[in-house]
Amino acid sequence: MTAGTFTVNGRQYAEPAGPVVVICIDGSEPDYHLEAMAAGRMPWLSKVLDGEGSSWPAHCAMPALTNPNNVSIATGHPPAVHGISGNYIFDAERGEEVLMNDKRFLRAPTVFAAANEAGLDVVVVTAKDKLRRLLGAGLVEEGPALDGSGEFVAPSRRGICFSAEKADRATVEDNGIDDVLALVGRPLPDVYSADLSEFALAAGVRILETRGADLMYLSLTDYVQHKNAPGTEAANDLYEKIDHYAGRLAELGAVVVLTADHGMSAKTDATGAARVVYVEDEVRRILGLDADTEAGAEGLRVILPITDPYTVHHGALGSFASVYLPEGADRAAVVRALRGIEGVQEVHGREDAVRRFAQPGDRIGDIVVLAEAGTALGRFAAWHDLSGLDAPLRSHGALGEVQIPFLINRRLPRPEPLDEPFGDPAVVHNYDAFWVATTLVARQDGTAGRTR
């Protein structure tokens, strides 16, 4: 392919000279790979970082959740641009709480769509099916137009996008590929297993081996990380597999980036019991509302944007909450009172949250609440089904989970520090992954292409 560039959402990307693969390791705080490397379980990555590779401190987008961050990686921007503010929201237009899996919520086109229209072969494999329609918009079905008009248009050519969760249902018409189980040579994995991530990785390798690709995105699941701390045998087993497949992709000539959508923190006390602040109960107390009646509570709503179909992972207990107040409530007084609750790290009004965390203001509540790393946020106890939790709670959503890895098998100049007033210092976001792997690599290699 002749070197060139394509532009999407105001960022220019160099067409890669060889395959580019970004692997999003769901729920991967940096200690996971550090512990696995120390145990000798990631020999490829250890060799890369001892030689021609780079490892930089990075931040995810806020909130530190799956949907917002996968779409941030896919678009090259935070939620303020692409509009995906959580896994679950209150849809004010329809007056209902809904899962944010539908592509209608997208406000920006993806890098995948733009690369596809530029003539590149693009492959997206997700572990969880909930991401498939968001990431496949503009690649295998209609998506936001590249001109920024907001209109949804069909792609002029088709890439590949499917999930490991429903790989047996993939068709050429809907996903750009069929017979996935035969191609990968593995049975359909259980959604609550490490096999789901391994299937996505194995599929990426087989596609690169048999069909090739210019741009590939492999998004894993955090089933293991929700149950197992860094350095445990289950965690090291998973990271050994990640290392194996990443090494195989590199052998096939790929620039490989390993990053994450968010980190992960234990949300328990010394006995292993979940440490939870039930935000709706606290707001009712602050407003002087009876917990057992709706009198005066019209309009009060607490949204936990971690909520998704995979409740066994976390029971919908995360560390970020969005609060809609009853009409006439004293927001400033509620903010002050919530800030005084043990386990709460930060509380912001909508306007401050939009500025501080690059949020779409019409898709968050009057107030956002962030828990400390060791605390989870809930609505009220009866709302949460914790029957599926068979291990001490580990979850994510806020600043305790903003630090993530960013690793690439190329020696590159370290970017300048991010100007962000939270988290430990970082130099990139996860949503810089495709820009780094294409444009920054091209600049370093002296192969930046011409503008089309």
Side-chain angles (χ1 to χ4, degrees):
M1 170 182 294
T2 302
T5 65
F6 62 92
T7 300
V8 60
N9 302 322
R11 299 189 80 170
Q12 188 177 81
Y13 298 82
E15 294 179 357
V20 163
V21 182
V22 172
I23 301 174
C24 177
I25 310 173
D26 199 345
S28 190
E29 62 179 277
D31 280 349
Y32 278 106
H33 76 268
L34 294 174
E35 291 287 346
M37 289 169 63
R41 303 292 288 275
M42 300 189 81
W44 173 79
L45 183 60
S46 296
K47 183 178 179 180
V48 164
L49 296 184
D50 281 343
E52 293 304 309
S54 302
S55 176
W56 299 330
H59 284 172
C60 67
M62 286 292 291
L65 301 170
T66 297
N67 285 19
N69 275 278
N70 273 269
V71 179
S72 287
I73 294 170
T75 60
H77 288 278
V81 173
H82 60 68
I84 305 299
S85 58
N87 304 339
Y88 185 79
I89 65 163
F90 175 61
D91 185 346
E93 291 183 5
R94 300 189 180 187
E96 59 183 0
E97 298 178 19
V98 296
L99 292 168
M100 208 171 196
N101 301 342
D102 196 309
K103 67 179 182 179
R104 69 183 173 89
F105 293 112
L106 283 171
R107 290 175 170 170
T110 67
V111 174
F112 313 137
N116 180 60
E117 292 300 315
L120 276 66
D121 292 328
V122 180
V123 176
V124 175
V125 184
T126 76
K128 301 170 183 173
D129 195 65
K130 72 173 186 175
L131 290 170
R132 177 180 54 82
R133 295 205 67 198
L134 292 172
L135 301 182
L139 180 62
V140 295
E141 58 183 284
E142 287 188 347
L146 297 177
D147 62 9
S149 65
E151 181 184 1
F152 274 54
V153 297
S156 65
R157 61 194 300 273
R158 296 171 62 77
I160 292 174
C161 181
F162 66 93
S163 73
E165 181 182 348
K166 296 185 178 179
D168 58 331
R169 305 183 194 180
T171 66
V172 172
E173 181 181 1
D174 292 336
N175 309 98
I177 192 172
D178 60 6
D179 294 329
V180 171
L181 299 186
L183 173 68
V184 180
R186 300 177 64 89
L188 187 72
D190 188 283
V191 69
Y192 293 118
S193 72
D195 291 342
L196 196 70
S197 288
E198 185 172 6
F199 190 100
L201 291 164
V205 168
R206 286 295 293 147
I207 290 170
L208 199 56
E209 287 175 336
T210 61
R211 303 172 60 137
D214 296 309
L215 222 62
M216 181 179 287
Y217 182 55
L218 306 177
S219 179
L220 312 186
T221 173
D222 55 3
Y223 174 78
V224 168
Q225 292 89 340
H226 270 290
K227 294 176 175 290
N228 302 275
T232 58
E233 188 62 21
N236 284 350
D237 281 348
L238 173 62
Y239 282 75
E240 184 173 38
K241 292 172 182 175
I242 293 169
D243 188 79
H244 166 75
Y245 289 106
R248 180 63 187 134
L249 291 163
E251 288 174 358
L252 293 169
V255 173
V256 179
V257 173
L258 298 176
T259 189
D261 53 351
H262 53 76
M264 189 74 67
S265 298
K267 307 290 185 181
T268 55
D269 62 21
T271 70
R275 182 186 285 119
V276 184
V277 173
Y278 289 105
V279 178
E280 190 163 325
D281 287 343
E282 294 293 346
V283 173
R284 283 178 173 271
R285 176 186 60 78
I286 293 165
L287 295 176
L289 301 176
D290 191 312
D292 299 322
T293 70
E294 291 302 308
E298 296 83 0
L300 174 59
R301 186 185 305 270
V302 172
I303 295 295
L304 304 175
I306 194 173
T307 307
D308 68 8
Y310 310 92
T311 54
V312 169
H313 288 10
H314 44 65
L317 293 170
S319 43
F320 188 104
S322 191
V323 182
Y324 293 81
L325 294 174
E327 186 176 354
D330 186 338
R331 185 177 71 169
V334 176
V335 167
R336 287 194 299 271
L338 287 171
R339 284 174 176 166
I341 296 172
E342 183 178 359
V344 171
Q345 183 175 11
E346 293 189 13
V347 184
H348 299 279
R350 177 186 287 116
E351 298 81 9
D352 287 343
V354 166
R355 287 190 294 269
R356 185 172 175 83
F357 303 124
Q359 297 297 290
D362 60 331
R363 290 180 172 174
I364 59 174
D366 301 297
I367 296 171
V368 298
V369 184
L370 285 69
E372 295 176 347
T375 301
L377 300 179
R379 294 181 78 165
F380 50 91
W383 193 80
H384 297 269
D385 178 10
L386 305 184
S387 61
L389 292 180
D390 57 5
L393 180 66
R394 296 173 57 78
S395 196
H396 53 93
L399 301 182
E401 299 82 44
V402 76
Q403 304 295 144
I404 55 167
F406 194 102
L407 313 155
I408 183 169
N409 63 337
R410 294 291 188 275
R411 181 69 67 188
L412 298 172
R414 186 183 180 96
E416 293 298 315
L418 300 177
D419 182 19
E420 289 188 336
F422 51 79
D424 293 336
V427 301
V428 287
H429 293 102
N430 54 4
Y431 53 81
D432 297 315
F434 281 104
W435 183 86
V436 168
T438 58
T439 307
L440 194 56
V441 166
R443 289 177 182 174
Q444 183 72 2
D445 292 346
T447 59
R450 68 182 186 278
T451 303
R452 288 182 178 268

